[in-house]
Short mmCIF file of all heavy atoms in Angstrom, two decimals:
data_model
loop_
_atom_site.label_atom_id
_atom_site.label_comp_id
_atom_site.label_asym_id
_atom_site.label_seq_id
_atom_site.Cartn_x
_atom_site.Cartn_y
_atom_site.Cartn_z
N TYR A 25 -0.35 0.05 6.48
CA TYR A 25 -0.32 1.42 5.94
C TYR A 25 0.10 2.43 7.00
O TYR A 25 0.72 3.46 6.67
CB TYR A 25 -1.66 1.77 5.27
CG TYR A 25 -2.71 2.51 6.05
CD1 TYR A 25 -2.54 3.83 6.45
CD2 TYR A 25 -3.94 1.89 6.35
CE1 TYR A 25 -3.53 4.52 7.14
CE2 TYR A 25 -4.94 2.58 7.02
CZ TYR A 25 -4.73 3.89 7.43
OH TYR A 25 -5.71 4.57 8.11
N TYR A 26 -0.18 2.16 8.27
CA TYR A 26 0.34 3.02 9.33
C TYR A 26 1.87 3.06 9.27
O TYR A 26 2.50 4.12 9.38
CB TYR A 26 -0.09 2.49 10.70
CG TYR A 26 -1.46 2.90 11.21
CD1 TYR A 26 -2.48 3.26 10.32
CD2 TYR A 26 -1.74 2.92 12.56
CE1 TYR A 26 -3.74 3.61 10.79
CE2 TYR A 26 -3.00 3.28 13.04
CZ TYR A 26 -3.99 3.61 12.16
OH TYR A 26 -5.24 3.96 12.62
N ASP A 27 2.48 1.89 9.10
CA ASP A 27 3.94 1.79 9.05
C ASP A 27 4.50 2.54 7.84
O ASP A 27 5.46 3.31 7.96
CB ASP A 27 4.36 0.32 8.99
CG ASP A 27 5.86 0.14 8.80
OD1 ASP A 27 6.62 0.64 9.64
OD2 ASP A 27 6.26 -0.49 7.80
N ALA A 28 3.90 2.35 6.69
CA ALA A 28 4.38 3.02 5.48
C ALA A 28 4.26 4.54 5.60
O ALA A 28 5.17 5.29 5.23
CB ALA A 28 3.61 2.53 4.26
N ALA A 29 3.14 5.00 6.16
CA ALA A 29 2.93 6.44 6.32
C ALA A 29 3.93 7.02 7.31
O ALA A 29 4.47 8.12 7.09
CB ALA A 29 1.50 6.71 6.79
N ALA A 30 4.20 6.30 8.38
CA ALA A 30 5.16 6.78 9.38
C ALA A 30 6.55 6.92 8.78
O ALA A 30 7.26 7.91 9.04
CB ALA A 30 5.19 5.83 10.58
N ARG A 31 6.96 5.96 7.98
CA ARG A 31 8.28 6.02 7.34
C ARG A 31 8.35 7.19 6.36
O ARG A 31 9.36 7.91 6.29
CB ARG A 31 8.57 4.71 6.61
CG ARG A 31 8.79 3.53 7.54
CD ARG A 31 8.90 2.23 6.76
NE ARG A 31 9.00 1.07 7.64
CZ ARG A 31 10.14 0.57 8.10
NH1 ARG A 31 11.29 1.13 7.74
NH2 ARG A 31 10.14 -0.47 8.91
N MET A 32 7.30 7.39 5.59
CA MET A 32 7.28 8.48 4.63
C MET A 32 7.40 9.83 5.32
O MET A 32 8.20 10.68 4.93
CB MET A 32 5.98 8.42 3.83
CG MET A 32 5.81 9.54 2.83
SD MET A 32 4.13 9.62 2.18
CE MET A 32 3.77 11.35 2.43
N MET A 33 6.62 10.02 6.38
CA MET A 33 6.62 11.31 7.07
C MET A 33 7.92 11.55 7.84
O MET A 33 8.28 12.69 8.12
CB MET A 33 5.41 11.41 7.99
CG MET A 33 4.10 11.47 7.23
SD MET A 33 2.67 11.77 8.29
CE MET A 33 2.73 10.33 9.37
N ALA A 34 8.63 10.46 8.18
CA ALA A 34 9.92 10.60 8.86
C ALA A 34 11.06 10.82 7.88
O ALA A 34 12.22 10.99 8.29
CB ALA A 34 10.20 9.34 9.69
N GLY A 35 10.75 10.84 6.58
CA GLY A 35 11.77 11.05 5.58
C GLY A 35 12.63 9.83 5.31
O GLY A 35 13.71 9.93 4.73
N GLU A 36 12.12 8.66 5.71
CA GLU A 36 12.86 7.42 5.49
C GLU A 36 12.40 6.76 4.19
O GLU A 36 11.32 7.07 3.67
CB GLU A 36 12.59 6.45 6.66
CG GLU A 36 13.01 6.98 8.01
CD GLU A 36 12.59 6.07 9.16
OE1 GLU A 36 11.98 5.01 8.86
OE2 GLU A 36 12.84 6.41 10.31
N PRO A 37 13.19 5.83 3.64
CA PRO A 37 12.73 5.08 2.46
C PRO A 37 11.43 4.35 2.77
O PRO A 37 11.28 3.75 3.83
CB PRO A 37 13.88 4.09 2.21
CG PRO A 37 15.08 4.75 2.81
CD PRO A 37 14.57 5.46 4.03
N PHE A 38 10.47 4.42 1.84
CA PHE A 38 9.17 3.81 2.13
C PHE A 38 8.58 3.10 0.92
O PHE A 38 7.46 2.60 0.98
CB PHE A 38 8.19 4.88 2.64
CG PHE A 38 7.81 5.91 1.60
CD1 PHE A 38 6.65 5.75 0.84
CD2 PHE A 38 8.60 7.03 1.39
CE1 PHE A 38 6.30 6.70 -0.11
CE2 PHE A 38 8.26 7.97 0.42
CZ PHE A 38 7.09 7.81 -0.32
N LYS A 39 9.30 3.05 -0.18
CA LYS A 39 8.77 2.46 -1.41
C LYS A 39 8.27 1.04 -1.19
O LYS A 39 7.16 0.68 -1.58
CB LYS A 39 9.84 2.47 -2.50
CG LYS A 39 9.37 1.84 -3.83
CD LYS A 39 10.49 1.80 -4.84
CE LYS A 39 10.83 3.16 -5.35
NZ LYS A 39 9.76 3.69 -6.25
N ARG A 40 9.11 0.19 -0.55
CA ARG A 40 8.72 -1.20 -0.33
C ARG A 40 7.52 -1.30 0.59
O ARG A 40 6.59 -2.05 0.35
CB ARG A 40 9.88 -2.00 0.25
CG ARG A 40 9.59 -3.50 0.37
CD ARG A 40 10.50 -4.17 1.40
NE ARG A 40 11.89 -3.75 1.29
CZ ARG A 40 12.82 -4.00 2.21
NH1 ARG A 40 12.49 -4.66 3.32
NH2 ARG A 40 14.06 -3.59 2.05
N GLN A 41 7.54 -0.52 1.68
CA GLN A 41 6.45 -0.57 2.65
C GLN A 41 5.14 -0.08 2.03
O GLN A 41 4.06 -0.60 2.34
CB GLN A 41 6.81 0.25 3.88
CG GLN A 41 7.86 -0.39 4.78
CD GLN A 41 9.26 -0.31 4.19
OE1 GLN A 41 9.56 0.53 3.33
NE2 GLN A 41 10.15 -1.17 4.68
N ALA A 42 5.22 0.92 1.15
CA ALA A 42 4.01 1.39 0.47
C ALA A 42 3.45 0.31 -0.44
O ALA A 42 2.23 0.10 -0.51
CB ALA A 42 4.32 2.66 -0.34
N ALA A 43 4.34 -0.38 -1.15
CA ALA A 43 3.89 -1.47 -2.03
C ALA A 43 3.29 -2.62 -1.24
O ALA A 43 2.27 -3.20 -1.63
CB ALA A 43 5.06 -1.97 -2.88
N ILE A 44 3.90 -2.94 -0.09
CA ILE A 44 3.36 -4.00 0.77
C ILE A 44 1.97 -3.62 1.27
O ILE A 44 1.03 -4.42 1.24
CB ILE A 44 4.31 -4.26 1.96
CG1 ILE A 44 5.59 -4.95 1.49
CG2 ILE A 44 3.62 -5.10 3.04
CD1 ILE A 44 6.66 -5.06 2.56
N ALA A 45 1.84 -2.39 1.72
CA ALA A 45 0.55 -1.93 2.25
C ALA A 45 -0.53 -1.96 1.18
O ALA A 45 -1.65 -2.43 1.41
CB ALA A 45 0.70 -0.52 2.82
N LYS A 46 -0.19 -1.47 -0.01
CA LYS A 46 -1.17 -1.44 -1.09
C LYS A 46 -1.54 -2.84 -1.54
O LYS A 46 -2.72 -3.15 -1.75
CB LYS A 46 -0.60 -0.62 -2.25
CG LYS A 46 -1.65 -0.09 -3.22
CD LYS A 46 -1.98 -1.07 -4.32
CE LYS A 46 -2.95 -0.47 -5.33
NZ LYS A 46 -3.32 -1.42 -6.40
N LEU A 47 -0.56 -3.70 -1.68
CA LEU A 47 -0.80 -5.08 -2.11
C LEU A 47 -1.68 -5.82 -1.10
O LEU A 47 -2.68 -6.44 -1.46
CB LEU A 47 0.52 -5.80 -2.30
CG LEU A 47 0.46 -7.31 -2.60
CD1 LEU A 47 -0.31 -7.58 -3.88
CD2 LEU A 47 1.87 -7.88 -2.68
N HIS A 48 -1.29 -5.75 0.16
CA HIS A 48 -2.02 -6.49 1.19
C HIS A 48 -3.43 -5.94 1.39
O HIS A 48 -4.41 -6.70 1.44
CB HIS A 48 -1.24 -6.46 2.50
CG HIS A 48 -1.88 -7.23 3.61
ND1 HIS A 48 -2.28 -8.53 3.48
CD2 HIS A 48 -2.20 -6.86 4.90
CE1 HIS A 48 -2.81 -8.95 4.63
NE2 HIS A 48 -2.78 -7.95 5.49
N ALA A 49 -3.54 -4.61 1.47
CA ALA A 49 -4.84 -4.00 1.74
C ALA A 49 -5.82 -4.25 0.60
O ALA A 49 -7.01 -4.52 0.83
CB ALA A 49 -4.68 -2.50 1.98
N SER A 50 -5.36 -4.16 -0.64
CA SER A 50 -6.27 -4.39 -1.76
C SER A 50 -6.70 -5.84 -1.83
O SER A 50 -7.86 -6.14 -2.15
CB SER A 50 -5.60 -3.97 -3.08
OG SER A 50 -4.42 -4.72 -3.33
N THR A 51 -5.80 -6.76 -1.48
CA THR A 51 -6.14 -8.18 -1.49
C THR A 51 -7.20 -8.50 -0.45
O THR A 51 -8.20 -9.19 -0.73
CB THR A 51 -4.89 -9.04 -1.23
OG1 THR A 51 -3.92 -8.80 -2.26
CG2 THR A 51 -5.24 -10.53 -1.22
N ILE A 52 -7.02 -7.98 0.75
CA ILE A 52 -7.98 -8.31 1.82
C ILE A 52 -9.29 -7.56 1.63
O ILE A 52 -10.34 -8.01 2.12
CB ILE A 52 -7.37 -8.07 3.22
CG1 ILE A 52 -7.08 -6.59 3.48
CG2 ILE A 52 -6.14 -8.93 3.42
CD1 ILE A 52 -8.15 -5.86 4.24
N ALA A 53 -9.26 -6.43 0.92
CA ALA A 53 -10.51 -5.73 0.62
C ALA A 53 -11.39 -6.60 -0.28
O ALA A 53 -12.60 -6.72 -0.07
CB ALA A 53 -10.23 -4.39 -0.05
N VAL A 54 -10.77 -7.20 -1.30
CA VAL A 54 -11.52 -8.11 -2.17
C VAL A 54 -12.01 -9.32 -1.38
O VAL A 54 -13.17 -9.75 -1.52
CB VAL A 54 -10.63 -8.57 -3.35
CG1 VAL A 54 -11.33 -9.65 -4.17
CG2 VAL A 54 -10.30 -7.37 -4.25
N ASP A 55 -11.16 -9.86 -0.52
CA ASP A 55 -11.55 -11.01 0.32
C ASP A 55 -12.75 -10.67 1.20
O ASP A 55 -13.72 -11.43 1.29
CB ASP A 55 -10.38 -11.44 1.20
CG ASP A 55 -9.25 -12.10 0.42
OD1 ASP A 55 -9.47 -12.45 -0.76
OD2 ASP A 55 -8.15 -12.24 0.98
N ASN A 56 -12.66 -9.53 1.89
CA ASN A 56 -13.73 -9.16 2.82
C ASN A 56 -15.03 -8.85 2.09
O ASN A 56 -16.12 -9.16 2.59
CB ASN A 56 -13.30 -7.96 3.66
CG ASN A 56 -12.45 -8.37 4.85
OD1 ASN A 56 -11.93 -9.49 4.89
ND2 ASN A 56 -12.27 -7.48 5.80
N ALA A 57 -14.93 -8.24 0.90
CA ALA A 57 -16.13 -7.95 0.14
C ALA A 57 -16.83 -9.25 -0.28
O ALA A 57 -18.06 -9.35 -0.24
CB ALA A 57 -15.79 -7.11 -1.09
N ARG A 58 -16.04 -10.22 -0.66
CA ARG A 58 -16.61 -11.51 -1.05
C ARG A 58 -17.28 -12.19 0.14
O ARG A 58 -18.40 -12.70 0.03
CB ARG A 58 -15.51 -12.41 -1.62
CG ARG A 58 -16.02 -13.77 -2.13
CD ARG A 58 -14.90 -14.64 -2.66
NE ARG A 58 -13.91 -14.93 -1.63
CZ ARG A 58 -12.67 -14.42 -1.62
NH1 ARG A 58 -12.27 -13.61 -2.59
NH2 ARG A 58 -11.83 -14.74 -0.66
N GLU A 59 -16.63 -12.19 1.29
CA GLU A 59 -17.19 -12.84 2.47
C GLU A 59 -18.42 -12.10 2.99
O GLU A 59 -19.38 -12.73 3.45
CB GLU A 59 -16.12 -12.95 3.57
CG GLU A 59 -14.96 -13.89 3.23
CD GLU A 59 -15.38 -15.36 3.23
OE1 GLU A 59 -16.58 -15.67 3.11
OE2 GLU A 59 -14.48 -16.21 3.34
N ALA A 60 -18.39 -10.77 2.94
CA ALA A 60 -19.55 -10.00 3.40
C ALA A 60 -20.76 -10.29 2.52
O ALA A 60 -21.89 -10.42 3.02
CB ALA A 60 -19.23 -8.51 3.38
N THR A 61 -20.51 -10.40 1.23
CA THR A 61 -21.60 -10.76 0.32
C THR A 61 -22.15 -12.14 0.63
O THR A 61 -23.37 -12.38 0.63
CB THR A 61 -21.11 -10.70 -1.14
OG1 THR A 61 -20.62 -9.39 -1.42
CG2 THR A 61 -22.23 -11.03 -2.11
N GLN A 62 -21.26 -13.07 0.93
CA GLN A 62 -21.67 -14.43 1.26
C GLN A 62 -22.50 -14.46 2.55
O GLN A 62 -23.51 -15.16 2.64
CB GLN A 62 -20.44 -15.33 1.41
CG GLN A 62 -20.75 -16.82 1.49
CD GLN A 62 -21.21 -17.39 0.15
OE1 GLN A 62 -21.00 -16.77 -0.87
NE2 GLN A 62 -21.84 -18.54 0.18
N ILE A 63 -22.09 -13.70 3.53
CA ILE A 63 -22.83 -13.64 4.79
C ILE A 63 -24.24 -13.09 4.56
O ILE A 63 -25.21 -13.56 5.16
CB ILE A 63 -22.07 -12.78 5.82
CG1 ILE A 63 -20.80 -13.51 6.29
CG2 ILE A 63 -22.96 -12.40 7.01
CD1 ILE A 63 -19.86 -12.67 7.11
N HIS A 64 -24.36 -12.14 3.68
CA HIS A 64 -25.67 -11.56 3.38
C HIS A 64 -26.53 -12.45 2.49
O HIS A 64 -27.73 -12.19 2.32
CB HIS A 64 -25.50 -10.19 2.69
CG HIS A 64 -25.18 -9.07 3.62
ND1 HIS A 64 -24.00 -8.97 4.32
CD2 HIS A 64 -25.92 -7.97 3.99
CE1 HIS A 64 -24.00 -7.86 5.05
NE2 HIS A 64 -25.15 -7.25 4.87
N GLY A 65 -25.93 -13.49 1.92
CA GLY A 65 -26.70 -14.39 1.09
C GLY A 65 -27.29 -13.68 -0.13
O GLY A 65 -26.64 -12.84 -0.75
N GLY A 66 -28.53 -14.00 -0.46
CA GLY A 66 -29.18 -13.39 -1.61
C GLY A 66 -29.27 -11.88 -1.50
O GLY A 66 -29.20 -11.17 -2.51
N TYR A 67 -29.40 -11.36 -0.28
CA TYR A 67 -29.48 -9.92 -0.11
C TYR A 67 -28.16 -9.24 -0.44
O TYR A 67 -28.13 -8.06 -0.80
CB TYR A 67 -29.91 -9.58 1.32
CG TYR A 67 -31.35 -9.94 1.61
CD1 TYR A 67 -31.66 -11.02 2.44
CD2 TYR A 67 -32.39 -9.22 1.04
CE1 TYR A 67 -32.98 -11.37 2.70
CE2 TYR A 67 -33.72 -9.56 1.29
CZ TYR A 67 -34.00 -10.64 2.12
OH TYR A 67 -35.31 -10.98 2.35
N GLY A 68 -27.06 -9.96 -0.34
CA GLY A 68 -25.77 -9.40 -0.70
C GLY A 68 -25.64 -9.11 -2.18
O GLY A 68 -24.74 -8.37 -2.60
N PHE A 69 -26.54 -9.70 -2.96
CA PHE A 69 -26.53 -9.49 -4.41
C PHE A 69 -27.48 -8.37 -4.82
O PHE A 69 -27.62 -8.05 -5.99
CB PHE A 69 -26.93 -10.80 -5.11
CG PHE A 69 -26.41 -10.93 -6.51
CD1 PHE A 69 -25.05 -10.97 -6.76
CD2 PHE A 69 -27.28 -11.03 -7.58
CE1 PHE A 69 -24.56 -11.09 -8.05
CE2 PHE A 69 -26.80 -11.16 -8.88
CZ PHE A 69 -25.43 -11.19 -9.12
N MET A 70 -28.14 -7.78 -3.83
CA MET A 70 -29.09 -6.70 -4.07
C MET A 70 -28.43 -5.36 -3.79
O MET A 70 -27.81 -5.18 -2.73
CB MET A 70 -30.33 -6.85 -3.18
CG MET A 70 -31.09 -8.17 -3.38
SD MET A 70 -31.77 -8.34 -5.03
CE MET A 70 -30.80 -9.73 -5.66
N ASN A 71 -28.59 -4.40 -4.70
CA ASN A 71 -27.91 -3.12 -4.56
C ASN A 71 -28.41 -2.28 -3.39
O ASN A 71 -27.78 -1.29 -3.03
CB ASN A 71 -28.04 -2.32 -5.85
CG ASN A 71 -27.13 -2.86 -6.95
OD1 ASN A 71 -26.02 -3.31 -6.67
ND2 ASN A 71 -27.60 -2.81 -8.19
#
């Protein structure tokens, strides 16, 4: 997302880089949330 933002602010084409950033970041957010819950065990299921 740093790369996509830099391209956008420089007035360069950024559509692909924005899509890459959004796709990758959202995927790893789901991954990390799942792993963090697993690390917490039963407590990870508690609000």
Side-chain angles (χ1 to χ4, degrees):
Y25 96 68
Y26 275 25
D27 174 58
R31 291 173 185 271
M32 178 192 130
M33 293 186 299
E36 300 173 0
F38 68 94
K39 179 184 289 288
R40 186 202 316 167
Q41 287 74 21
I44 289 171
K46 200 272 184 181
L47 173 60
H48 182 51
S50 60
T51 300
I52 65 97
V54 173
D55 290 346
N56 277 16
R58 183 181 61 251
E59 293 290 20
T61 302
Q62 191 71 17
I63 289 170
H64 281 67
Y67 290 108
F69 206 62
M70 301 297 114
N71 285 324

